[in-house]
Amino acid sequence: MIQIKKGALEFCVLAVIAWEERYGYEIVKVLNEHGLTTPEGTIYPLLARLKKEGLVTATWRETAQGNPRKYYRVTDKGKTALDEFKRSWSEFTETVNSILKGGPA
């Protein structure tokens, strides 16, 4: 299950950012609210990798609450990757569910 979570986490983060621009801690909070408990120490390296791969962009913004925050936005390349993952994930889960239920192919 750990490997499945690691593989899906990147795309869950992309999906959360695709809903609207978000900063790191906010992403962690949304994931936790949906039951995907993820430490901040996992999210920031993942966000850096997504940025390096061109799937997200990041912009520093001043806030009324204090320190500036880095907000992330999904790029067109990121949206395409997310759409491809959604299709593949749907096919994958249907296949796994069929096997787990013992049904014929």
Side-chain angles (χ1 to χ4, degrees):
M1 286 307 297
I2 291 171
Q3 292 302 320
I4 292 171
K5 181 180 174 183
K6 283 182 181 179
L9 181 61
E10 174 178 330
F11 294 99
C12 289
V13 168
L14 276 176
V16 168
I17 299 170
W19 300 339
E20 64 182 86
E21 282 186 319
R22 298 189 188 263
Y23 58 94
Y25 178 72
E26 191 177 25
I27 295 166
V28 170
K29 188 175 169 185
V30 171
L31 292 172
N32 289 343
E33 288 170 356
H34 281 84
L36 192 57
T37 304
T38 308
E40 285 182 69
T42 299
I43 291 298
Y44 291 105
L46 190 151
L47 288 167
R49 190 175 78 247
L50 293 175
K51 185 174 181 246
K52 183 178 179 183
E53 293 173 0
L55 302 177
V56 300
T57 60
T59 306
W60 284 100
R61 292 202 191 127
E62 296 292 329
T63 65
Q65 295 84 5
N67 295 332
R69 294 178 178 158
K70 189 184 278 191
Y71 282 81
Y72 295 88
R73 175 185 294 196
V74 175
T75 63
D76 288 341
K77 183 178 177 182
K79 289 176 187 174
T80 299
L82 182 58
D83 288 342
E84 289 173 7
F85 176 80
K86 287 177 184 179
R87 281 190 295 278
S88 296
W89 183 257
S90 180
E91 292 171 11
F92 174 73
T93 56
E94 286 176 21
T95 300
V96 170
N97 287 335
S98 174
I99 291 168
L100 292 176
K101 290 176 183 175

